[in-house]
Every structure is written in structure tokens, then in C-alpha cells.
Amino acid sequence: MSPRTPASTPRTPDPDWWRQAVVYQVYPRSFADSDADGLGDVAGITSRVPYLAGLGVDAIWLSPFFPSPLADGGYDVADYRDVDPRLGTLADFDALVRSAHEHDIRVIVDVVPNHTSDEHAWFRAALAAAPGSVERARYVFRDGSGPDGSLPPSDWVSNFGGSAWTRVPDGQWYLHLFAPEQPDLDWSNPSVRSDFEDTLRFWSDRGVDGFRVDVAHGLAKDLSVPYRPSNEHDLPLDGSDPLYDRDEVHEVFASWRSVLDEYDPPRAAIAEAWAPAPRRVLYARPTELGQAFNFDLLEAPFEADAFRGVIERNLAMSEQSGASSTWVLSNHDVVRHATRYGLPDDADTDAWLMTDGVSPALDRDRGLRRARAASLLQFALPGSSYTYQGEELGLHEAAAIPRDLLQDPKWLRSGHTVKGRDGCRVPIPWTRSGPSFGFGDVAPQLPQPVDFGVSSVEAEDGEPDSTLSLYRSAFALRRELQHGETLAWVDAPDGVVGFARHDGWRSYTNFGADPVPMPAGTVLLASGPLGDGVLPGETTVWVA
């Protein structure tokens, strides 16, 4: 069979573009608002493609933009093959892909296969149908427990709190590992599998270059009775948990790889798989998705030994799988790393958010200094480097969103004890002033901090010491220097992580508070001011 021809292609077709790419994550509803409704949209993203090209990214990853009632920020999908009318049209999406490709930027879209929205046509049909029907067989419907079936079938708990089961009027229960508005699909059903393969083709035919797979480790489930307990936070190495990281899931992704390989170049894919490290490599095999997210740096403390250990382990796993590694410090699900690094090492970020960011005190300067150092180290590593929107501006978490404006389902499902992820999802600032700091012409649906303007693109553009200038310089140098997928550790003082890359250029990060002697060589770039003959604390430098 000859390869399928996409609607548009980048100017430099390369089947391995993803192995060393800088990928910029766009959260569409908070990136740019083109129609003054307070909600970001597809046309807004297109208007900012020149900015992304100037930043120097290789690809953009779009969080869900599909029709959705927004029970979970768009990760509750009502139609996998359309654009939410509040965000635009398929024609708008096509224009975005064309513009990105004209600027030599690839486009990755989110696929959410574990669950649909409860407003998806399939689920509406399931509710209207009888127990045991083909409509219900696409989801996980089961009878309840107890004498009259009034208790949930099992004690499984939702990721957002509370039971993972919800009862429908005829007495059956359906499974939802997340919000009740996100019913889980049954991936043992062949019609579910074939329909998602058609979805991959739908977007690939429109020129999409790759897919990020949400909750990739959750599709396969052991629903045999009696139901066994599950613990996503302590998964076994043999794939025996009933809900997560089961071996059967790899049958799904092997079939997806066949679909993705129908195209020239083959479509890339990356798994969000919260699986034990030895099993995460399975998702990254070339016969499956090809890459899997490595969140280990995101979870590591700002310490030399922790970072070095993460790097060593993940490069070894990449060699084992045949994939390149991925590096992430922030995304749409976690407190921004400039803030995490400015809090005490033992701080509970959920508890901190509940104080509106007041206690414990945030050392903003230290947090940003550490964030810049960690980011520059990240960009020196072999593999793909993921940047979350606004990270290039040094944005901190918006911790003081009024409680009546919170949108994350975690807030409701936790009984108002966990504020959730809205603080990293507020619209990013483009200008120093205005009703939404340049996001649009009206105030956004999630309020921004009043001081956001000082961290805007307008304020940082052209300022040589700004975080925006650091990222632009780092991405430009990375494109020039990045070759090969290995590194060599070099001697460095205690508390310093140093390694050499292709042609001998080196990266050194001083994780300590005190300065150390400056490494020999010509300085290419530094995350902060350098002292006279010393590398200051919490600073990264590239030298040649």
C-alpha cells in the first residue's frame, strides 16, 4: 500500500524530526482569544505562529480543542473529529496547520482515548439503550453490588476523588476513572478500536504530524469478578493492576502504529503513561507509539544527585526502547516549576494553593533563578524537550484565583479541599496592560494576576536578560549544537551536574547556593549573571 498523502507538509520533511524536537505545548483556551469572548481559540493560535517561529520551536502540541462541555478543560471530548464551535471550525484548524507548516513547525494533537464526554453521541445512545445492548457495550456498564444493586460494583476511586462509578436511572453503574462526565470506554470492544483508528486517519489526513496520547496506560482493564483493588500510585512491575498499565494495552498501540505508518513520513506519537519506569519503555517501542513522556525531572527536587540520577536512568531506558528520551519541567497538570522551585523543598503545593499562595512564603526570585537553570540544563540534554506555554516568560503559578471562579473538577470532587490545576491554565500575558494583557479584547474566563504585565511578551521582548531572550537563545543554539543522542559525564565540583555533548560542548549546572570555579572554555550561554571566574549558585552555563 502506498503512503497516504497529507493535506500539507512542513518545508523540511524528516521522519525523525521528533527525536530531538523542541515541542511547545499550547493550551488552546488560554493562549490567544481572537473573537473577544474571553476564551482562547484556534484562530488566535494561528495569529501567534510567527511568535512561535521566532521563539524557535520545532512543533506545537495542542491540548484538546474538540467539542466539549468542559467538565475537565476539554479532556471530556464530545466529538473527536471536529473543533469546538467556541474555538473555531475545521477550516480554522486547517489554516493553523498550513501556517505552522509554512513556518516549518509541526503540529501534534491530543488524543483522549480512555474516556469520552457524557455528551458524546455514543454515551447518549448508551443511556437510552437497555442493559446488555451494543450501545452500552462501548462503555463499562455493570450491575451494582449489595442485595438491591444500590452499591457501586467495586471500591475503585476516581482520580478526581470519590467513587469511580456512577449509577444511571435503570440501576446500572458506569465506570469513570476521572469525572462522572467522563465515562470510560471499553477497549476490548472492536468497534471502539476501529473508530479511534479512523480518528487518527482523520487528523493525519488534515496534515497533523503526531499525537499525544492521554492516559495511555489506562485503556486496558481487568473487569473480571470479583473486582480486585487498584493503586495507580504503586503499580506492579508485572502489569497485573486491574485498571492501569496492563499488557493488553500494547495490542492497541501496535495497531495504532500500523495506522500511523500509513503516512509518509510516519506520524509520530507520544504516550502519557504513568507506569513504572521499566514498563514505560514498552509504550516507546518503535512497534508502538515511539515515545513516552518522562516526568521524572518534573518530580525531582532541585538537587544535583536527583537530576543526574534521572538523566542516567532515562537515557538508559531510551537506549533500551530505541526511542529518544523526553524532558518535561511543567505542563497543564502541575504547578509551574518557577513556583515549585521557589517554595520550601518539603512544601505541599496543594496546601499552598489553598492559602492562595500565602503560606509558606514563595521566594519568587529564587524560584525563577532555579527554573531558568533547570530549563537550560533540560535544553542541553539529548532527546525531545517539552516547554509549556508561558514557561518561556518565567511565569509563576496564579495561586489566588477566587474560589467561585475555579473550573477544575478536582475542586468540586474533593469537597473544596483541592483547588486543582487552574493556576497554570490562566491565559498567558502578551502585553503590559489591557483587560487581558493582550490575550484578547475582554477579560478572560480565568482571571490573570494583576502583575502579569511585567512578565508579558511585550515587556520581555528585546530585553537581553529576560527569560524570553534566554529561551530564544537556547533554542537557536540547541538547533546549531544538537547532534547525536548521547552525553558523557565530566568532572565537576560537588553539587554540580556537568556533561559533554557532540563536538565537546558542555553544560554545567550549579545546584548549590555558593559559587564554584567557572569551567574552562568559551561561554556560549548562561541562565543568569556570571561572576568573575566563578559559576554562581543555581545557575547553568554552556561552554565550548
Side-chain angles (χ1 to χ4, degrees):
M1 183 175 68
S2 60
R4 298 167 72 104
T5 303
S8 66
T9 57
R11 291 176 296 194
T12 55
D14 176 4
D16 292 327
W17 64 267
W18 49 273
R19 297 190 70 93
Q20 300 287 325
V22 171
V23 183
Y24 185 97
Q25 182 188 356
V26 171
Y27 196 73
R29 291 168 174 81
S30 63
F31 192 65
D33 172 18
S34 71
D35 58 3
D37 66 353
L39 194 66
D41 47 50
V42 174
I45 301 169
T46 305
S47 73
R48 300 297 186 181
V49 166
Y51 165 80
L52 296 170
L55 183 59
V57 305
D58 299 302
I60 54 174
W61 153 29
L62 304 174
S63 290
F65 52 83
F66 316 111
S68 170
L70 300 183
D72 182 24
Y75 283 88
D76 48 319
V77 179
D79 185 346
Y80 288 90
R81 300 176 204 158
D82 204 352
V83 175
D84 192 315
R86 291 166 292 187
L87 273 64
T89 64
L90 282 171
D92 291 328
F93 179 83
D94 293 341
L96 169 59
V97 173
R98 284 194 303 271
S99 179
H101 286 174
E102 287 167 0
H103 288 83
D104 224 16
I105 296 174
R106 272 77 173 180
V107 178
I108 299 170
V109 301
D110 237 313
V111 180
V112 188
N114 180 70
H115 48 261
T116 72
S117 164
D118 61 353
E119 294 188 11
H120 192 284
W122 277 4
F123 193 70
R124 292 200 303 267
L127 292 180
S133 62
V134 295
E135 291 85 0
R136 289 206 175 178
R138 296 189 185 108
Y139 294 89
V140 181
F141 278 87
R142 294 293 186 272
D143 293 330
S145 61
D148 56 358
S150 62
L151 298 176
S154 75
D155 61 358
W156 292 338
V157 176
S158 160
N159 281 269
F160 292 158
S163 174
W165 298 93
T166 289
R167 200 177 194 191
V168 299
D170 62 27
Q172 278 205 310
W173 298 73
Y174 68 87
L175 179 68
H176 52 88
L177 296 186
F178 294 87
E181 297 86 355
Q182 295 169 291
D184 278 38
L185 289 163
D186 187 343
W187 274 86
S188 67
N189 188 320
S191 67
V192 172
R193 296 194 181 194
S194 63
D195 191 77
F196 265 85
E197 290 175 5
D198 288 344
T199 293
L200 296 177
R201 293 188 181 98
F202 178 87
W203 293 110
S204 295
D205 288 345
R206 304 191 89 90
V208 164
D209 303 281
F211 299 90
R212 178 264 188 186
V213 184
D214 187 65
V215 196
H217 62 304
L219 275 57
K221 299 174 175 70
D222 176 7
L223 298 168
S224 59
V225 179
Y227 300 105
R228 295 182 293 110
S230 171
N231 183 2
E232 186 184 17
H233 303 293
D234 187 21
L235 293 176
L237 293 176
D238 62 359
S240 62
D241 187 271
L243 298 180
Y244 300 103
D245 188 41
R246 297 189 57 78
D247 289 337
E248 301 95 308
V249 77
H250 299 290
E251 301 171 11
V252 174
F253 297 135
S255 69
W256 282 26
R257 175 43 58 192
S258 296
V259 173
L260 301 175
D261 284 349
E262 293 173 5
Y263 294 85
D264 184 18
R267 290 339 193 207
I270 182 169
E272 181 205 32
W274 293 91
R279 291 184 58 84
R280 194 168 63 223
V281 299
L282 302 178
Y283 300 81
R285 291 178 292 190
T287 54
E288 295 190 25
L289 296 176
Q291 267 193 330
F293 271 122
N294 151 31
F295 297 114
D296 296 350
L297 278 187
L298 183 153
E299 296 181 316
F302 190 82
E303 297 171 358
D305 289 345
F307 267 60
R308 176 162 176 160
V310 165
I311 295 166
E312 287 179 327
R313 288 192 299 273
N314 281 279
L315 289 180
M317 286 189 294
S318 294
E319 185 175 357
Q320 175 186 346
S321 69
S324 60
S325 192
T326 60
W327 309 104
V328 183
L329 290 171
S330 283
N331 62 31
H332 64 292
D333 281 334
V334 298
V335 170
R336 289 184 176 273
H337 65 285
T339 292
R340 299 198 313 268
Y341 293 153
L343 292 170
D345 292 341
D346 60 350
D348 180 331
T349 54
D350 284 337
W352 177 79
L353 287 170
M354 287 299 292
T355 72
D356 292 342
V358 174
S359 180
L362 169 65
D363 187 336
R364 294 177 66 91
D365 291 341
R366 189 183 198 199
L368 180 56
R369 183 170 62 251
R370 286 178 159 191
R372 288 165 58 108
S375 295
L376 194 55
L377 180 155
Q378 172 192 352
F379 303 149
L381 292 170
S384 300
S385 195
Y386 281 74
T387 293
Y388 180 52
Q389 65 178 41
E391 182 183 315
E392 79 278 14
L393 303 175
L395 294 186
H396 280 279
E397 189 81 357
I401 299 173
R403 283 158 170 72
D404 61 341
L405 298 179
L406 292 172
Q407 300 176 5
D408 194 323
K410 287 187 176 184
W411 175 241
L412 177 63
R413 297 281 292 172
S414 68
H416 296 172
T417 61
V418 178
K419 290 180 74 172
R421 302 158 292 178
D422 290 329
C424 67
R425 299 179 179 185
V426 299
I428 64 173
W430 296 93
T431 60
R432 288 187 176 90
S433 59
S436 63
F437 299 105
F439 167 70
D441 294 334
V442 299
Q445 294 191 9
L446 272 178
Q448 301 152 300
V450 295
D451 61 351
F452 240 23
V454 298
S455 298
S456 64
V457 173
E458 181 182 34
E460 296 196 16
D461 190 24
E463 291 295 327
D465 296 329
S466 70
T467 303
L468 178 58
S469 292
L470 174 67
Y471 271 60
R472 284 174 173 164
S473 297
F475 293 160
L477 271 172
R478 175 187 166 96
R479 186 167 291 180
E480 174 187 337
L481 298 170
Q482 187 87 318
H483 300 285
E485 296 183 9
T486 60
L487 59 74
W489 299 107
V490 297
D491 291 337
D494 289 343
V496 175
V497 170
F499 53 85
R501 294 299 315 281
H502 182 80
D503 288 340
W505 70 278
R506 290 156 288 143
S507 172
Y508 294 88
T509 302
N510 182 3
F511 284 84
D514 298 324
V516 298
M518 175 64 70
T522 300
V523 172
L524 302 175
L525 188 62
S527 65
L530 300 176
D532 184 12
V534 298
L535 175 61
E538 301 173 340
T539 303
T540 295
V541 65
W542 293 359
V543 297

